[in-house]
Amino acid sequence: MVKKTVFVVAAILLGAFVIGAVDGAHPFGDPGAAPMDDYFLANALNDISAENIVTAIVFDYRGFDTIGEAAVLFTALTAVATLLREGRRKP
Amino acid sequence: MNPLSVVVRTVCDLFAWFMIVFGVNVLLHGYVTPGGGFQGGAIIATFIAFLLVAYGGRRVASRVNDRLFDLFEEVGLLVFFILAFLGLPVTFFFNFLAKPLAESAGGFIPGVGTVALMSVAVGLEVTGALSLIILTMHRGIRMFRGEDLEPETGHDR
Amino acid sequence: MMNSAVQLLVLAVMAVAGFFALWFKDLISSVISLAVFSLMMALEFYLLQAPDVAIAEAAIGAGLSTTIFIITIRACRRPKSREGGKEW
């Protein structure tokens, strides 16, 4: 009974938080004033002739974040290989 | 592992090679069409999953060489970092090969410069990493049972 | 109007797939439900005009993570009682 009460209260609180967060978000399709986005959209094609601006941002303007992504993948590979490689147990 | 039906295995065997072609297409045209290094590498890494379904673990483990994916990983990361450091006279990650739109026609390297090259490098890295993760996990789960690669009667045609 | 209807349909399928991922007792069925969820999410990203994210979501979510989940489920067996529960 106590467990059920706690569950209901937690569910109501979580629902209230979610509704509040959705209510406070930007309206759909309108991210608001973003001068940096406008800079990318205006200059990426003319400066470095990048047709796909997303790739230009990922590998050129924000290349430092791509290093982080590569490091995350490399760390995951290292962890998996450390745990599971050479799966032969000593008899 | 219980054998899957022959339809599933044949379709997986057929689709695996098309996945490589599609992934390389996404990878190489990352600067024009949606896609890029990470997406193309992830699509190519699906090849190993399809092969595991189509042929079973024992034949894949006997045919596929891990050193190839190690090489992919190392070459990709090294090319990525070297290209990043080559722009260092100006800044880290300076796009030293880029040309403005007016004069970017022709040439072996497209006008976006290091964006296309880094896309291919990151694609190689992601391909190697994800394929190695799947292969290593699939081989390593037998460590806990203390047995060799199981016979897998249904998969070996 | 048409776009909203399609988005409502996709989101409804996402909700149903998420519910079934929790509801199934069989773990393989759960993982397949998660794959359907990821596929619908890729479609939703495509409808929201983010094809880059849609490609990544379809490849990673519906393809690779399903494989990794199934491999992990195969690895996790019930411990055999005759060996003292130490052998997995």
Side-chain angles (χ1 to χ4, degrees):
Chain A
M1 191 59 209
V2 178
K3 199 184 284 182
K4 195 171 285 184
T5 314
V6 169
F7 177 76
V8 168
V9 169
I12 290 175
L13 274 181
L14 184 65
F17 272 120
V18 168
I19 289 176
V22 169
D23 194 42
H26 290 295
F28 190 72
D30 177 28
M36 192 172 287
D37 297 355
D38 296 339
Y39 176 81
F40 289 149
L41 288 178
N43 291 8
L45 182 58
N46 286 323
D47 283 351
I48 63 173
S49 68
E51 285 94 345
N52 187 3
I53 298 182
V54 176
T55 313
I57 289 173
V58 166
F59 291 112
D60 192 4
Y61 291 108
R62 292 281 183 269
F64 209 78
D65 294 343
T66 311
I67 282 190
E69 177 240 309
V72 164
L73 207 56
F74 188 72
T75 313
L77 173 62
T78 312
V80 168
T82 308
L83 282 174
L84 295 177
R85 211 164 201 185
E86 296 301 320
R88 197 59 52 82
R89 206 175 38 176
K90 293 285 186 344
Chain B
M1 189 178 186
N2 293 325
L4 290 164
S5 74
V6 68
V7 178
V8 176
R9 281 186 276 134
T10 311
V11 167
C12 282
D13 188 14
L14 196 62
F15 262 97
W17 309 95
F18 286 110
M19 281 316 238
I20 281 193
V21 176
F22 177 56
V24 170
N25 185 17
V26 168
L27 186 68
L28 287 183
H29 294 125
Y31 61 97
V32 211
T33 55
F38 192 75
Q39 288 91 352
I43 291 172
I44 298 175
T46 321
F47 172 67
I48 289 296
F50 274 130
L51 279 195
L52 280 178
V53 174
Y55 290 110
R58 198 176 58 176
R59 273 180 76 173
V60 170
S62 66
R63 295 282 174 83
V64 176
N65 196 357
D66 276 7
R67 303 285 305 165
L68 179 69
F69 297 114
D70 278 343
L71 192 71
F72 276 7
E73 172 89 22
E74 290 149 10
V75 167
L77 272 181
L78 274 180
V79 169
F80 183 56
F81 275 95
I82 285 172
L83 279 174
F85 272 111
L86 277 181
L88 204 56
V90 185
T91 48
F92 200 45
F93 273 102
F94 178 68
N95 198 342
F96 63 99
L97 285 173
K99 287 176 275 191
L101 183 63
E103 51 191 81
S104 73
F108 180 65
I109 298 174
V112 283
T114 57
V115 172
L117 300 178
M118 277 181 185
S119 176
V120 174
V122 169
L124 276 183
E125 191 251 336
V126 172
T127 304
L130 289 177
S131 303
L132 268 184
I133 284 176
I134 288 181
L135 277 178
T136 313
M137 284 185 71
H138 190 268
R139 198 181 304 131
I141 60 175
R142 290 170 175 88
M143 181 167 66
F144 300 107
R145 298 188 208 145
E147 64 195 37
D148 207 355
L149 291 178
E150 60 192 32
E152 277 179 314
T153 54
H155 273 290
D156 298 319
R157 285 175 283 185
Chain C
M1 183 55 207
M2 184 62 199
N3 204 359
S4 300
V6 173
Q7 279 192 2
L8 265 183
L9 186 65
V10 168
L11 289 175
V13 175
M14 267 175 72
V16 169
F19 169 74
F20 274 117
L22 287 177
W23 188 71
F24 278 132
K25 287 281 188 283
D26 187 17
L27 285 180
I28 300 286
S29 309
S30 245
V31 168
I32 298 301
S33 289
L34 270 184
V36 173
F37 182 85
S38 284
L39 196 66
M40 285 300 127
M41 197 139 110
L43 194 53
E44 178 68 23
F45 277 133
Y46 183 72
L47 288 177
L48 291 178
Q49 300 174 6
D52 296 87
V53 194
I55 293 174
E57 178 71 34
I60 298 281
L64 291 177
S65 76
T66 308
T67 312
I68 290 178
F69 275 140
I70 288 179
I71 289 174
T72 312
I73 287 170
R74 279 188 65 199
C76 295
R77 282 192 178 169
R78 207 177 282 272
K80 295 172 186 167
S81 59
R82 62 182 166 83
E83 284 155 351
K86 286 189 179 161
E87 187 81 20
W88 285 77

